[in-house]
Amino acid sequence: MASGSKGKDNISAIAKHVDAEGYEMPWVEKYRPVLLDDIVGNTDTVERLKVIAEDGNVPHIIISGMPGIGKTTSIHCLAHALLGESYKEGVLELNASDERGIDVVRNKIKSFAQRKVTLPPGRHKIIILDEADSMTAGAQQALRRTMEIYSNTTRFALACNMSNKIIEPIQSRCAILRYSKLKDAEVLKRLKELCEMEDVKHNDAGLSALIFTAEGDMRQAINNLQSTHSGFGFVSQDNVFKICDQPHPIVVRHMIKACQKGEIDDALARINELWDQGYSAVDIVTTVFRVTKGMEELPEVLKLDYIREIGWTHMRILEGVGTLVQLGAMVARLCRVTMPPSSLRL
Ligand SMILES: Nc1ncnc2c1ncn2[C@@H]1O[C@H](COP(=O)(O)OP(=O)(O)OP(=O)(O)O)[C@@H](O)[C@H]1O
Ligand SMILES: [Mg+2]
């Protein structure tokens, strides 16, 4: 069913899955892609999955990467593309919410692997182990032989955040696909599509703020879009930052500009403003880093110096000294970078 149809209508087709009661579903679920074609970003890897889906001979795979970038979704799309109508009988999904100790591997997974089901010709049963990095090493060990013995009828698809938590022998049996964080442009495109489908009133600054706060995590971007929309009815920069509760990058930007001009009083006032709003030193310093990194108007050399200073401050804060004085010292050092040496002489 899924494998054949293509085209832009797919997304709107998914949109019709709204629950009958009329309650608002979380948009992340409502717009969870069902076709590999609808997955945004990581094009090379998704192309590889499409080839696998057409070919039918799926290897054991591990998809690893950050949260919210489409790993679980991709595996389900792949299983749909491979099995179509037989998805229900042909797929066993176990995630971190299921018991996945050695017993389950011995009993549930083994008995599913042994079970005979009718599938389209040339297709295999698929066992999806989502969040596989939370499986104990013992349970993973128990999988080793099972994966081999039943590999003519059953293939494994694992998703995890950290592939190093998967034991080496399992890694060596699988093709490892790494998903990277989604690019800003990719998240933006998707958000724009959702805005159109859900008729969300927004401006460009609002969408940029969503992208800034999500840091390449599509799930977070969509969730924040929905929260801002239902909370304020309009997606603007200020509303997004009220929902996301992060130090406002505009304030941080002003602070850095003040440092560049050597206006320490102004810069300190901005830091005080954020501190008084209750943000922690880590929140502030990470936002300062991200804003500095993205400021195109800063000369390259200056940016390097700034990032080095911010890095030192971040380290000291993580070591335990997350005080206003620490942030003030950072501001002082940033101001000092651009001050002419003559003005530093007493
Ligand atoms: N690449 C993507 N294209 C389109 N939508 C996406 C993409 N990535 C995530 N989403 C949206 O975010 C939701 C969550 O994605 P998914 O469950 O695949 O994340 P994940 O990578 O498995 O994260 P986790 O590591 O937390 O399990 C999806 O329902 C979908 O709406
Ligand atoms: Mg997942």
Side-chain angles (χ1 to χ4, degrees), residues 7 12 41 43 90 168 171 179 218 222 233 251 253 260 294 331 337 343:
S12 35
T43 23
E168 288 283 339
Q171 289 193 32
Y179 271 25
M218 181 74 91
I222 298 177
V251 179
R253 183 180 277 266
Q260 195 185 358
V331 168
V337 174
S343 67

Side-chain angles (χ1 to χ4, degrees), residues 26-33 38-42 46 63 65-76 130-131 133 159-161 179 182 186 190 194 216-220 222-223:
W27 291 350
V28 276
E29 290 311 326
K30 188 167 159 187
Y31 297 105
R32 189 187 278 275
D38 297 336
I39 294 173
V40 179
N42 289 298
V46 175
I63 301 188
M66 307 272 295
I69 53 176
K71 300 180 300 296
T72 306
T73 312
S74 302
I75 289 187
H76 282 115
D130 206 355
E131 291 121 30
D133 38 6
C160 62
N161 295 126
Y179 271 25
L182 299 178
E186 291 162 349
R190 183 72 175 167
L194 294 198
D217 177 340
M218 181 74 91
R219 185 195 286 127
Q220 197 167 13
I222 298 177
N223 275 334

Side-chain angles (χ1 to χ4, degrees), residues 183-193 207-208 211:
K183 297 199 186 77
D184 289 353
E186 291 162 349
V187 180
L188 179 66
K189 188 161 163 272
R190 183 72 175 167
L191 288 181
K192 280 190 171 156
E193 283 169 8
L207 294 187
S208 309
I211 289 167

Side-chain angles (χ1 to χ4, degrees), residues 41-283:
N42 289 298
T43 23
D44 290 347
T45 327
V46 175
E47 281 304 320
R48 229 175 121 193
L49 290 178
K50 278 190 210 159
V51 173
I52 292 175
E54 253 160 53
D55 189 37
N57 192 14
V58 44
H60 299 307
I61 55 170
I62 297 178
I63 301 188
S64 79
M66 307 272 295
I69 53 176
K71 300 180 300 296
T72 306
T73 312
S74 302
I75 289 187
H76 282 115
C77 292
L78 177 69
H80 271 294
L82 283 164
L83 300 179
E85 310 262 291
S86 326
Y87 180 89
K88 258 207 172 124
E89 307 94 76
V91 174
L92 172 71
E93 191 203 343
L94 295 172
N95 55 43
S97 62
D98 301 298
E99 166 66 67
R100 287 189 303 192
I102 296 184
D103 287 346
V104 173
V105 175
R106 287 203 190 111
N107 305 322
K108 207 164 169 182
I109 294 186
K110 231 172 168 179
S111 69
F112 178 80
Q114 287 167 341
R115 193 184 308 155
K116 285 206 164 36
V117 292
T118 327
L119 298 176
R123 300 293 147 106
H124 303 87
K125 283 177 286 179
I126 298 173
I127 297 182
I128 299 176
L129 295 174
D130 206 355
E131 291 121 30
D133 38 6
S134 67
M135 285 176 79
T136 60
Q140 292 186 37
Q141 293 287 1
L143 268 184
R144 290 167 63 170
R145 200 66 189 121
T146 316
M147 282 174 95
E148 286 172 353
I149 296 174
Y150 301 102
S151 61
N152 55 341
T153 57
T154 309
R155 299 294 153 86
F156 284 77
L158 283 69
C160 62
N161 295 126
M162 280 169 293
S163 62
N164 60 355
K165 293 256 176 81
I166 307 288
I167 58 170
E168 288 283 339
I170 302 273
Q171 289 193 32
S172 104
R173 284 165 175 74
C174 298
I176 302 184
L177 309 175
R178 288 185 209 286
Y179 271 25
S180 48
K181 274 208 265 186
L182 299 178
K183 297 199 186 77
D184 289 353
E186 291 162 349
V187 180
L188 179 66
K189 188 161 163 272
R190 183 72 175 167
L191 288 181
K192 280 190 171 156
E193 283 169 8
L194 294 198
C195 285
E196 204 166 295
M197 286 186 279
E198 289 290 334
D199 202 11
V200 178
K201 294 191 188 56
H202 64 276
N203 59 20
D204 287 349
L207 294 187
S208 309
L210 285 172
I211 289 167
F212 181 87
T213 47
E215 291 181 76
D217 177 340
M218 181 74 91
R219 185 195 286 127
Q220 197 167 13
I222 298 177
N223 275 334
N224 290 343
L225 174 72
Q226 186 173 16
S227 311
T228 317
H229 173 65
S230 49
F232 296 95
F234 185 74
V235 180
S236 68
Q237 194 179 45
D238 281 343
N239 291 346
V240 170
F241 283 106
K242 271 182 213 152
I243 289 281
C244 301
D245 205 19
Q246 283 190 11
H248 205 308
I250 297 278
V251 179
V252 175
R253 183 180 277 266
H254 282 146
M255 185 218 76
I256 293 166
K257 287 216 169 121
C259 290
Q260 195 185 358
K261 285 185 250 158
E263 295 167 358
I264 185 149
D265 291 334
D266 188 11
L268 282 175
R270 307 280 178 182
I271 283 286
N272 276 329
E273 181 185 335
L274 293 176
W275 186 262
D276 290 342
Q277 283 166 6
Y279 294 112
S280 72
V282 179
D283 283 346

